[in-house]
Amino acid sequence: MTTQPQKVIPAEYIPDVGSFIEKIEGKDYLITNDAMYTFYRRTKGEFSSFFLALRDEKRLFGCKCTKCGLVRVPPFLTHCPDCNFAPTEPVEVGQVGVMNTTPPITYFATSLFQHMAPYGRGRVIFKGADTALSVNLYTTTGILVPGIIKKGTEVKLIFKENRIGEMTDVFCVPTAELTEGQIQKKGLQESEINWEAPVEPVLPAPSQEDISVYNDALNEIKSIISEMNTNERARKDVIGWKRDILVKTRGGRFAIIIDDGDIRLEEKELSSPDFVMVSDDPNVLLDGLAYRGAITDSVIGKKLWISKNMEFNTIFKLDRMARSVARSKKG
Ligand SMILES: [Zn+2]
């Protein structure tokens, strides 16, 4: 956890002072980095108490019409338009709800939301509420793929550790992934959930043929990874990134080590990898690394499973490396 205050604009987005040449139709043009910026403060106004309750008390509030009794969550108005603008009053609602729709999943987010992807975004009707709240959705079972959270799935509101009074302070996971105690607990925090118990796909025992398919694929993967390691563009894609990945396929297992610009394959079992990749067929990974289709697509299409949702970012980087090598060959 960071103790340094976070900046509104992360340092990596701020360009260096300097200039460079861009060649257009054979001519040199000088380009200089410059800046124009505006910061602003937003107020939550009369809805401040809703956000303060999320931030400080881990409670979810709605507003109840004093006339018709309709409970709106979130409390987006102070007077009921259906009852000649009768005032509403704050009312606390439950932290378990039901999906109102099947949520779409965002895998490729803009830079602003990339650290959160993949995430589902859907509408939940919490116990005691009459309207649906739009929240982010996650799973603790590995990568979030279609089918885990659907219309009608019961979900639980989870509070992040560091809350600033925004809707992104909370998210939901399916109650089926929690214990009864966790489901009952009000103000359940992210750190109280076991994120380390993903349901890994079981691979069948390999035949002789599976092992020979594996050995062929492994040789090709090895040569691609050593090519990535000597490719400047590809190395740049994993600067500052460190991951020990255990790859399991039907025919055998190996490790991919990403270490701040370096990438290498090691034929060994890792005892505590950062995450696990499972694919019945090693050629699924091979095709991705060889730039014959994206690994991210294989993850979304459930041909390749990863043990940690947030490691989709690492998969994304592997795809980038494959593309970098392909581009270098072209250029
Ligand atoms: Zn009303």
Side-chain angles (χ1 to χ4, degrees), residues 262-273:
D262 288 334
I263 182 164
R264 61 181 189 274
L265 188 148
E266 288 181 10
E267 281 183 76
K268 66 171 186 190
E269 180 100 356
L270 294 172
S271 54
S272 53

Side-chain angles (χ1 to χ4, degrees), residues 64-70 72 79-88:
K64 184 177 183 176
C65 172
T66 49
K67 210 164 169 199
C68 70
L70 191 81
R72 294 176 170 96
H79 290 78
C80 182
D82 300 333
C83 301
N84 203 17
F85 296 99
T88 63

